[in-house]
Amino acid sequence: MDSLLTAFTDPAALAALVALVVMEVVLGIDNLVFISILTNKLPEHQRQKARRIGIGLALGMRLVLLSMIAWIVGLTAPVFDLGIIGPPNQYGAPTFETEFSWRDLILIAGGLFLIWKATKEIHHNVDPARGDDMLDKKSVATLTFGSAIVQIILLDMIFSLDSILTAVGMTDNLAVMVIAVLVAVGAMVLAADPLANFIARNPTVVMLALGFLLMIGAVLIADGFGVHVPKGYIYAAMAFSTLVECLNIFARRAQQRKGA
């Protein structure tokens, strides 16, 4: 209770709370884009239920991980080292390294999964005809409610771990972390249906969102190899691309009204 009061009365804790809420909401966008694209492939009557379950699982995983902070921090300890180090950058640190922790391995696995999933979906959008290649087998082309939930769980684990490690790096106040996670997940709940519906109504946005997933997957893999890409650059690029696509949508609608 005391730590909860401190979160709202101590200026330093309050500033950390505001910064962490913003960071958690931004990190939640990645998770939400994936959930929206995946659930839009389900029958319409199952989509909202799947989104609610996916976001609920994201909240549950974050809260469970918060209760295991000591274990989470331990995931950053090196597990093995291949002994390969990249040349130093302008700050003297290696550009990449092959000293892997469990966190690194989880990020690399998550990045590979995101790249595979986004590539498969792009392939299906570019070439709707079903072929015999590895990306178009019937077993992976058909999405069921259960398989959608399993895929959401896998990505929730990756994004939840990244989210909690970010929180641990910004504050040591557990109450601040819990409040920030609850606010971020609440924002995901409010944005889930509008975002999914917007993506469903605008097919070109689907390709843009899949491009975002490819980029996020590449960043996760790079992070796993010790190449830290500033997230501000990533989200600035995503915001600019989204703005351009919104202008394209407005232009197309204006042309349609003019021709009607």
Side-chain angles (χ1 to χ4, degrees):
M1 187 65 179
D2 292 338
S3 59
L4 183 61
L5 292 175
T6 302
F8 292 101
T9 56
D10 181 29
L14 188 59
L17 174 61
V18 173
L20 191 53
V21 165
V22 173
M23 183 62 69
E24 292 293 327
V25 169
V26 171
L27 290 175
I29 293 174
D30 305 342
N31 204 349
L32 200 54
V33 167
F34 178 80
I35 291 175
S36 298
I37 292 176
L38 196 61
T39 55
N40 278 348
K41 296 175 68 66
L42 293 170
E44 190 170 352
H45 67 280
Q46 293 181 336
R47 294 174 184 176
Q48 187 178 62
K49 180 180 179 182
R51 286 193 287 268
R52 294 288 182 266
I53 292 175
I55 295 172
L57 289 170
L59 172 61
M61 287 185 187
R62 283 163 169 77
L63 293 179
V64 169
L65 291 175
L66 279 174
S67 68
M68 304 166 65
I69 287 180
W71 178 75
I72 292 297
V73 173
L75 290 177
T76 59
V79 177
F80 64 90
D81 188 356
L82 298 179
I84 304 173
I85 300 177
N89 57 21
Q90 65 268 34
Y91 304 108
T95 50
F96 71 90
E97 56 189 0
T98 56
E99 183 182 73
F100 298 103
S101 64
W102 283 115
R103 170 189 176 273
D104 297 330
L105 297 176
I106 291 171
L107 290 180
I108 292 171
L112 290 172
F113 176 77
L114 264 184
I115 290 176
W116 171 79
K117 184 66 180 176
T119 302
K120 182 170 76 73
E121 296 301 329
I122 289 173
H123 177 76
H124 290 160
N125 279 275
V126 172
D127 183 13
R130 296 293 180 252
D132 295 327
D133 58 280
M134 64 179 295
L135 292 174
D136 244 345
K137 291 180 181 177
K138 185 177 179 181
S139 60
V140 298
T142 302
L143 183 71
T144 64
F145 185 85
S147 63
I149 296 301
V150 170
Q151 292 183 53
I152 289 173
I153 290 173
L154 291 175
L155 259 295
D156 277 347
M157 291 173 61
I158 306 301
F159 289 126
S160 295
L161 179 63
D162 193 26
S163 170
I164 298 308
L165 285 172
T166 300
V168 171
M170 294 182 66
T171 180
D172 57 358
N173 190 319
L174 183 60
V176 169
M177 298 181 199
V178 172
I179 294 170
V181 167
L182 291 175
V183 171
V185 174
M188 289 174 65
V189 171
L190 294 176
D193 289 340
L195 177 62
N197 293 335
F198 178 75
I199 289 175
R201 289 195 305 267
N202 300 277
T204 56
V205 175
V206 175
M207 196 63 70
L208 179 65
L210 290 172
F212 289 163
L213 292 182
L214 277 177
M215 181 170 60
I216 294 165
V219 170
L220 288 177
I221 294 173
D223 200 0
F225 279 93
V227 182
H228 303 293
V229 181
K231 286 187 169 62
Y233 295 158
I234 301 301
Y235 291 113
M238 291 172 64
F240 180 76
S241 301
T242 302
L243 176 61
V244 172
E245 182 59 29
C246 287
L247 292 175
N248 284 329
I249 292 172
F250 293 146
R252 285 194 296 268
R253 290 179 179 175
Q255 290 175 354
Q256 290 171 357
R257 288 194 297 268
K258 185 178 179 179

